[in-house]
């Protein structure tokens, strides 16, 4: 299946796609908020994260604001709660002190909003305004809910206590025997998009970008490879580290990826309430940008730039065009990538040959978010839409770009142009990386 472009979709196809993506997101939200008792919903499991019950009501509130009010022209349902669920008005550390809706009331509110939204969806004309064109507002809200579902999954990973979430492991993969790196030829390619109907503002506009030839890891860096960096004293050698990163790891006594511990010479990790031996063949996860950068320096390499990453993921050298995904324009399937919380861990490095790019790079979509060398900056000609607080207020050198999505990302919020960003110290996110090197001249 290929998603419709902005100009090709008929209203009924858009309606079906909007309904499917909204329903998928809500099923996941329900799972993440029904698998624990109310005390775990109202508790703050980390000062970096909101209580789960805040995310639940925030999802409903944003859906009401953008669909029932902005698209449907309706009156506010609960105007007194708008400020409680404004992410810019209250930082996460303060949210447990707010008079939040209790779990039962938050569920009822989100359900009532969704019921009205489904009625609105049946009668919406997908033309006339930028919000409604090609169903953009419905797609934006589905992506917003899935992004908060990933945030809630991070909260579950930070939560102490027994396992409450389960999922099958990725299917067994044969040991990857392909090349360690591939050459991405130099030249121009089209970065960003003008045609992806639900692309967010920071993915736009499409523009030409020149990239010099470079070599890129065929797969993400694995736990086994990262362990060699640890065992070689990587966390004790300042020459590998960005100065701010060296200061950070010393101040916080960081010696390994988050959730790892050394038990009598054996490395273990905690994953959603289960302690297990670190699997050497999986992509490393829960490392910050400084750790990724230090590893790359230690390995005699570097992190790829955002443009390099996107060229490797989208450029088709046979046609000169840019694809939606590494494998083409078809919507992701389980054969292409590890997405959608189908599994609760990355798949072994080298998995998903059907998702390989034309250049032979694997797992560019799914498994782990991949840190790049680039700051989060606007593309030439960027225009904020529909509000500055989604992207524009975050632009600058304080945030580093991540690409590709993780096992916690749904396909509606993941594509070859999708841009994620975070502070370079963040490790609770499902972040990994791959390395690059410039072509010798």
């Amino acid at each position: 299946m290929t998603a419709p472009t902005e100009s090709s979709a008929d209203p009924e196809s858009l309606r079906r796609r909007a309904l499917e993506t909204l329903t998928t997101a809500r099923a996941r939200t329900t799972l993440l908020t029904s698998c624990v008792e109310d005390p775990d919903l109202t508790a703050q499991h980390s000062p970096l994260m909101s209580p789960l019950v805040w995310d639940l009501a925030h999802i409903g509130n944003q859906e009401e604001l953008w669909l029932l009010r902005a698209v449907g022209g309706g009156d506010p349902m609960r105007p007194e709660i708008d400020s409680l669920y404004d992410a810019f008005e209250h930082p996460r550390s303060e949210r447990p002190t707010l008079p939040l809706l209790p779990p039962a009331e938050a569920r009822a509110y989100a359900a009532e909003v969704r019921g009205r939204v489904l009625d609105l969806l049946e009668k919406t004309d997908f033309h006339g305004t930028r919000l409604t064109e090609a169903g953009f507002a419905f797609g934006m809200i589905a992506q917003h809910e899935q992004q908060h579902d990933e945030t809630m999954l991070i909260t579950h990973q930070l939560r102490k206590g027994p396992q409450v979430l389960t999922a099958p492991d990725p299917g067994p993969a044969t040991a990857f025997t392909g090349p360690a790196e591939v050459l991405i030829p130099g030249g121009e390619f089209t970065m960003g998009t003008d045609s992806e109907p639900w692309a967010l503002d920071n993915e736009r506009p499409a523009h030409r970008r020149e990239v010099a030839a470079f070599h890129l890891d065929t797969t993400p860096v694995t736990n086994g490879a990262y362990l060699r960096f640890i065992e070689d004293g990587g966390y004790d050698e300042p020459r590998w580290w960005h100065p701010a990163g060296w200061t950070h790891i010393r101040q916080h006594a960081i010696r390994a990826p988050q959730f790892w511990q050394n038990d009598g010479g054996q490395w273990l990790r905690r994953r959603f309430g289960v302690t297990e031996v670190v699997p050497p063949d999986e992509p490393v996860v829960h490392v910050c940008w400084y750790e990724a950068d230090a590893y790359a320096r230690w390995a005699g390499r570097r992190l790829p730039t955002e443009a390099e990453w996107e060229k490797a993921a989208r450029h088709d050298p046979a046609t000169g065009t840019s694809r939606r995904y590494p494998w083409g324009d078809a919507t992701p399937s389980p054969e292409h990538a590890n997405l959608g919380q189908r599994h609760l861990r990355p798949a072994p490095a080298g998995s998903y040959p059907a998702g390989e790019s034309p250049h032979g790079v694997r797992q560019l979509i799914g498994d782990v978010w991949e840190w790049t060398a680039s700051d989060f900056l606007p593309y030439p000609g960027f225009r904020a839409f529909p509000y500055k607080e989604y992207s524009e207020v975050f632009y600058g050198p304080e945030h580093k770009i991540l690409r590709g999505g993780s096992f916690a990302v749904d396909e509606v919020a993941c594509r070859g142009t999708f841009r994620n960003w975070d502070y370079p110290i963040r490790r609770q996110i499902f972040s990994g990386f791959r390395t690059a090197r410039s072509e010798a001249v």
Side-chain angles (χ1 to χ4, degrees), residues 12 45 49 64 77 91 118 121 159 166 179 181 206 220 232 243 271 297 337-338 377 383 435:
E12 289 312 308
H45 299 283
M49 311 303 291
E64 183 198 346
M77 293 170 54
L118 296 182
L121 179 60
R159 170 187 168 272
T166 59
E181 65 176 9
D232 195 46
R271 183 177 60 84
R297 294 171 190 265
N338 180 7
L377 298 172
R383 292 185 178 182
T435 68

Side-chain angles (χ1 to χ4, degrees), residues 261-268 277:
Q261 62 179 6
N262 192 314
D263 184 14
Q266 184 177 51
W267 283 98
L268 307 175
V277 175

Side-chain angles (χ1 to χ4, degrees), residues 53-366:
V53 75
W54 185 93
D55 286 289
L56 174 59
H58 171 76
I59 286 168
N61 187 244
Q62 289 295 294
E63 190 165 327
E64 183 198 346
L65 286 170
W66 287 106
L67 297 184
L68 297 184
R69 299 188 207 174
V71 173
D75 294 328
M77 293 170 54
R78 300 283 300 268
E80 76 280 3
I81 70 172
D82 285 354
S83 65
L84 296 178
Y85 298 103
D86 185 331
F88 286 88
E89 189 166 335
H90 302 287
R92 288 174 175 175
S93 59
E94 294 180 4
R95 291 172 190 172
T97 67
L98 301 174
L100 303 176
L101 298 182
E105 196 171 348
R107 288 191 185 98
Y109 169 63
E112 184 177 359
V113 170
R114 175 54 57 86
R116 297 188 188 189
V117 163
L118 296 182
D119 290 339
L120 175 67
L121 179 60
E122 284 298 313
K123 59 187 179 185
T124 296
D125 179 2
F126 296 111
H127 298 286
T129 71
R130 285 192 65 191
L131 270 180
T132 57
E133 186 71 32
F136 174 82
F138 294 93
M140 179 182 73
I141 287 300
Q143 291 178 81
H144 175 265
E145 182 161 356
Q146 286 286 4
Q147 287 170 323
H148 275 272
D149 288 340
E150 182 176 13
T151 298
M152 289 194 285
L153 190 62
I154 293 169
T155 301
H156 274 280
Q157 170 63 12
L158 289 162
R159 170 187 168 272
K160 301 296 192 293
Q163 180 182 27
V164 296
L165 292 170
T166 59
D169 286 341
T174 57
F176 180 66
T177 58
E181 65 176 9
V182 298
L183 173 65
I184 310 297
E188 281 194 342
F189 81 107
T190 299
M191 187 171 185
T193 182
D194 290 328
S195 60
E196 186 71 31
W198 292 354
L200 303 173
D201 60 3
N202 62 59
E203 301 170 66
R204 301 172 182 266
H207 58 286
R208 299 295 288 174
R209 189 71 69 94
E210 178 79 25
V211 174
F214 68 102
H215 294 265
L216 184 68
D217 287 341
T218 309
T219 71
V221 171
T222 64
N223 290 321
Y226 197 85
L227 183 57
R228 291 192 287 274
F229 168 67
I230 296 173
E231 292 174 339
D232 195 46
Y235 282 86
D236 298 312
E237 180 52 70
R239 64 181 167 140
W240 306 132
W241 294 82
H242 185 287
W246 179 249
T247 299
H248 178 72
I249 68 162
R250 306 306 285 182
Q251 285 180 344
H252 296 275
I254 293 172
R255 306 285 303 171
Q258 191 170 6
F259 308 112
W260 285 31
Q261 62 179 6
N262 192 314
D263 184 14
Q266 184 177 51
W267 283 98
L268 307 175
R269 70 176 181 187
R270 182 170 58 82
R271 183 177 60 84
F272 299 110
V274 175
T275 298
E276 60 190 13
V277 175
V278 171
D281 58 346
E282 281 185 16
V284 66
V285 64
H286 297 301
V287 290
C288 69
W289 184 88
Y290 290 126
E291 289 171 293
D293 180 64
Y295 172 95
R297 294 171 190 265
W298 169 81
R301 298 171 69 84
R302 58 177 175 80
L303 295 179
T305 66
E306 181 183 19
E308 288 174 334
W309 188 97
E310 187 166 326
K311 183 170 187 182
R314 298 186 63 213
H315 183 247
D316 184 345
T319 64
T321 60
S322 290
R323 301 172 165 194
R324 297 182 70 226
Y325 300 101
W327 55 85
D329 294 337
T331 299
S333 72
E335 289 72 39
H336 290 131
N338 180 7
L339 293 167
Q341 201 179 309
R342 222 174 9 249
H343 311 295
L344 288 170
R345 63 196 304 156
S351 298
Y352 304 106
E356 186 175 278
S357 78
H359 296 287
V361 187
R362 295 198 180 181
Q363 292 167 285
L364 285 160
I365 298 292

